[in-house]
Amino acid sequence: MNSTQNRGKRTVTPAPQASPSLGAELKAARGRIGVTQTQLADLSSVSVRTIRDLELDLTQNPRRETLRLLLDGLRLTGVQRARVEEAAAGPNGRGIPAGSLAPPPAVLDPTIGRERDIEALMGLITFGGHRLIRVVGMAGVGKSRLMQEVAWAMDASARMPVVWAEPEGGPTGKPADRLQAHVAALLRGDDELAHLATAFGSNDILLVVPDVTMSPGSEAALRHLLVQCRGLHVLYEAREGSKRGAGTDYPVFPLSVADRSVRPAGGEPAVSPSLRLMLSRCGSLEREALADSRIMAALAGICRSLDGIPQAIEAAAAWLLLYSPDQLLSLARLNPFKLATPPGNDTADLRAVLEASIKSLHPRDLDVLRRLAAHSLPWTMAQAFASPEQFGDAALSAIHLLCTRGLVRPAHWDAAGTPTFTVLNLVRHLLAESAAPAAPALESRRPQRWQSPASVESPSYAA
């Protein structure tokens, strides 16, 4: 049975006839704490007559303030409170029929190197009890694509209905247009809590918010929605982790690259996830590359120069129409940012993002970054500093910050099983430019450094 059939047959909520009425829920809640209607009236400031009429289902659609006073008087929280609120909304307001939800955007290309991330995120949502999850990482690392894969896998497996929050103005399916409009309004600061709380109810449902700059107000609104909807899970992306401490940060790093210091027998570079991505974008070159170790080495070097950043690798693959892998590797060593920008695109988003991230660092953290960039090979935490007294809480905090900003990334595990890290090659280039005299720095950005194919020498693969 395919996902469309599953989606049409399952429902987000129990059948209305199986749900107790508001009167039955209120009477049961009052019985659990052992109070009479008169005592509840004293606790809640709601009249005995109103309480009696509600319990007898003589009054429908009570005022929101009346219901709040009763729930506070009954000391209801969590799922019990949500059940009464759901009953008060009536059968037409208890959740969303799953068949009315438009499916998440289809994944058209194979996902490479993110299999563990997809499995881990699905585990956090389904089994880990994590309800607010931020997918954290630098620009171009593939956060939106990863979230799309997770949403599609959750929807196809029928584990949990998925609401994909399209950005305002984006293409949406008609069945979910109104719901997505309400979500978009909530994220921009409008008061949509009551409508969405009624729509989502207390059932398990996954709200995926991709590619949205989340303001403090937007995240606060999502937190309030999570409080009201006990089964709701929210997955959204961010450039860095939250300083509030609530929720779960899931860091996403660039794809791993073939490390120069770890070579298999024969000296050929390993087929790392970043190299697999490059090969998948090379078209007709892929079959030739797999049979030619020199081409494979050049492509692996390009991936390493671009730090395994998926967006940069896909841009570099487009340049293979004009340059051979050998020439492209030489050009990557001269100006990797040019290679990370697709042909015909004059913007340098990746450069701008990294420059802004470096500029925002505290001088103390920037000093740590410069010292770490002096290490040409991946380093362990113990190797990061010249003397033991430099290795303290402040240094650990700085490295953690640099990792969350995407300026430092995990590399591999050394022979002793200790994790190693490295400063991004692109970051090294920016630091070198800022440390160079003014004239050479300007010269390095002139177009003539982007040489013609005839003037580019073949690279050496010994490094």
Side-chain angles (χ1 to χ4, degrees), residues 305-346:
S305 295
L306 299 175
D307 297 300
I309 301 172
Q311 180 179 306
I313 292 174
E314 291 178 352
W319 286 107
L320 285 169
L321 180 64
L322 305 176
Y323 295 94
S324 70
D326 285 1
Q327 293 167 336
L328 212 58
L329 178 57
S330 291
L331 296 172
R333 290 170 175 170
L334 292 174
N335 189 351
F337 285 104
K338 181 64 179 180
L339 207 62
T341 306
N345 189 340
D346 295 331

Side-chain angles (χ1 to χ4, degrees), residues 45-356:
S45 302
V46 176
S47 69
V48 174
R49 180 176 178 176
T50 299
I51 295 173
R52 183 195 63 202
D53 288 349
L54 285 171
E55 289 190 358
L56 292 174
D57 289 321
L58 298 177
T59 300
Q60 302 295 327
N61 301 320
R63 294 171 55 190
R64 187 182 305 175
E65 180 63 15
T66 300
L67 186 63
R68 185 189 67 79
L69 290 171
L70 283 173
L71 296 181
D72 289 346
L74 291 166
R75 300 193 292 274
L76 292 182
T77 60
V79 174
Q80 290 181 346
R81 188 180 186 108
R83 287 184 61 184
V84 177
E85 291 174 337
E86 187 178 328
N92 294 329
R94 297 183 184 129
I96 312 163
S100 71
L101 297 179
V107 180
L108 302 179
D109 299 318
T111 298
I112 296 175
R114 296 298 187 198
E115 294 80 7
R116 290 185 179 180
D117 290 318
I118 295 170
E119 183 179 353
L121 278 171
M122 291 181 67
L124 287 176
I125 296 167
T126 308
F127 307 113
H130 301 266
R131 299 182 56 219
L132 180 64
I133 305 175
R134 288 174 292 269
V135 179
V136 182
M138 64 178 294
V141 81
K143 301 185 296 296
S144 295
R145 172 60 184 271
L146 174 61
M147 292 168 61
Q148 185 179 349
E149 284 280 3
V150 172
W152 186 259
M154 292 290 290
D155 183 76
S157 66
R159 294 187 185 182
M160 192 179 297
V162 176
V163 174
W164 181 268
E166 283 281 359
E168 287 190 281
T172 55
K174 285 187 176 181
D177 274 348
R178 292 183 60 187
L179 178 62
Q180 291 179 344
H182 285 294
V183 172
L186 178 75
L187 295 176
R188 67 170 179 260
D190 295 350
D191 186 8
E192 295 286 341
L193 282 177
H195 178 90
L196 290 174
T198 300
F200 292 147
S202 60
N203 302 279
D204 286 337
I205 195 164
L206 175 62
L207 173 61
V208 183
V209 187
D211 196 23
V212 173
T213 301
M214 196 73 66
S215 67
S218 300
E219 185 168 329
L222 284 177
R223 292 178 190 279
H224 288 307
L225 187 60
L226 284 165
V227 171
Q228 295 192 32
C229 304
R230 304 304 299 174
L232 179 64
H233 299 71
V234 176
L235 183 68
Y236 76 91
E237 64 178 288
R239 289 284 175 87
E240 57 184 88
S242 173
K243 297 179 181 178
R244 297 172 179 263
T248 302
D249 291 337
Y250 187 87
V252 180
F253 297 104
L255 299 175
S256 62
V257 299
D259 183 13
R260 290 175 298 176
S261 64
V262 181
R263 287 183 178 273
E268 296 181 1
V271 182
S272 62
S274 59
L275 181 54
R276 285 165 49 205
L277 176 62
M278 172 67 83
L279 290 171
S280 72
R281 300 296 188 268
C282 286
S284 60
L285 182 62
E286 180 177 2
R287 184 175 300 177
E288 179 184 355
L290 290 172
D292 191 323
S293 60
R294 183 179 179 84
I295 294 178
M296 290 286 283
L299 295 177
I302 294 168
C303 294
R304 189 163 50 246
S305 295
L306 299 175
D307 297 300
I309 301 172
Q311 180 179 306
I313 292 174
E314 291 178 352
W319 286 107
L320 285 169
L321 180 64
L322 305 176
Y323 295 94
S324 70
D326 285 1
Q327 293 167 336
L328 212 58
L329 178 57
S330 291
L331 296 172
R333 290 170 175 170
L334 292 174
N335 189 351
F337 285 104
K338 181 64 179 180
L339 207 62
T341 306
N345 189 340
D346 295 331
T347 61
D349 295 337
L350 189 55
R351 170 187 277 273
V353 167
L354 290 176
E355 285 179 333

Side-chain angles (χ1 to χ4, degrees), residues 287-445:
R287 184 175 300 177
E288 179 184 355
L290 290 172
D292 191 323
S293 60
R294 183 179 179 84
I295 294 178
M296 290 286 283
L299 295 177
I302 294 168
C303 294
R304 189 163 50 246
S305 295
L306 299 175
D307 297 300
I309 301 172
Q311 180 179 306
I313 292 174
E314 291 178 352
W319 286 107
L320 285 169
L321 180 64
L322 305 176
Y323 295 94
S324 70
D326 285 1
Q327 293 167 336
L328 212 58
L329 178 57
S330 291
L331 296 172
R333 290 170 175 170
L334 292 174
N335 189 351
F337 285 104
K338 181 64 179 180
L339 207 62
T341 306
N345 189 340
D346 295 331
T347 61
D349 295 337
L350 189 55
R351 170 187 277 273
V353 167
L354 290 176
E355 285 179 333
S357 185
I358 293 173
K359 186 177 181 179
S360 67
L361 292 175
H362 187 279
R364 177 187 61 251
D365 299 325
L366 179 58
D367 179 64
V368 171
L369 178 62
R370 291 187 183 279
R371 283 190 282 135
L372 295 176
H375 294 268
S376 59
L377 296 177
W379 37 267
T380 64
M381 299 297 290
Q383 296 168 340
F385 301 97
S387 56
E389 58 269 15
Q390 293 178 331
F391 188 73
D393 291 341
L396 291 173
S397 177
I399 295 178
H400 186 273
L401 173 67
L402 297 174
C403 284
T404 60
R405 293 281 183 90
L407 304 175
V408 170
R409 58 163 291 167
H412 59 267
W413 299 76
D414 67 5
T418 305
T420 65
F421 303 84
T422 186
V423 175
L424 266 61
N425 179 59
L426 296 174
V427 173
R428 295 176 193 271
H429 273 261
L430 291 178
L431 294 176
E433 285 184 7
S434 64
L442 291 174
E443 192 70 21
S444 66
R445 297 192 186 183

